[in-house]
Amino acid sequence: VNGTNYFIEISHRNSIETWSASGANFISGLLTYNFTTSLSQAYGSNLIQRGSKFCVYSGDVNKDGTIDLTDLGLIDNDAFNFATGYLRTDLTGDNFTDLADLTIADNNAANFVSLIRP
């Protein structure tokens, strides 16, 4: 509905659920919102800066809202089995689950990255 505030949620197969910092309005049936321009674009500033862009955190492969040991275990199992393809444990997007994916999740788990909802 035009003129009504809506929070925007980003959810991906292996990233932490991320919400817009404030409500956004539809104008003429369109809604535009850019999470990548500032840390303050996400509720609770729940983004990480990579270069000049702000990005959602990767590593919540079991989608429980926290990047933790259970996610690391799933990634480690797939890496041990040389899993390939479009997998939730492939955090780098290279179609291989390996040490690079485990490193991303481990760093985010060590920083206690978790879901922050409005």
Side-chain angles (χ1 to χ4, degrees), residues 2-22:
N2 287 334
T4 303
N5 279 333
Y6 294 93
F7 280 91
I8 302 166
E9 173 198 357
I10 297 175
S11 184
H12 185 260
R13 68 187 168 122
N14 59 21
S15 67
I16 209 77
E17 180 183 311
T18 305
W19 289 76
S20 59
S22 60

Side-chain angles (χ1 to χ4, degrees), residues 37-113:
T37 58
S38 172
L39 192 64
S40 65
Q41 290 293 95
Y43 191 82
S45 299
N46 205 16
L47 297 170
I48 187 167
Q49 188 172 4
R50 292 289 178 243
S52 63
K53 302 287 183 185
F54 293 87
C55 309
V56 296
Y57 286 98
S58 293
D60 187 17
V61 297
N62 67 356
K63 301 307 288 174
D64 68 352
T66 304
I67 301 172
D68 58 15
L69 188 57
T70 56
D71 301 298
L72 294 172
L74 293 169
I75 296 167
D76 185 56
N77 287 340
D78 278 0
F80 178 80
N81 290 311
F82 301 102
T84 61
Y86 187 75
L87 303 171
R88 63 186 176 159
T89 53
D90 174 22
L91 306 185
T92 60
D94 63 0
N95 290 320
F96 297 98
T97 300
D98 55 17
L99 184 58
D101 306 299
L102 193 59
T103 301
I104 291 168
D106 185 54
N107 287 337
N108 290 335
N111 288 316
F112 304 102
V113 174

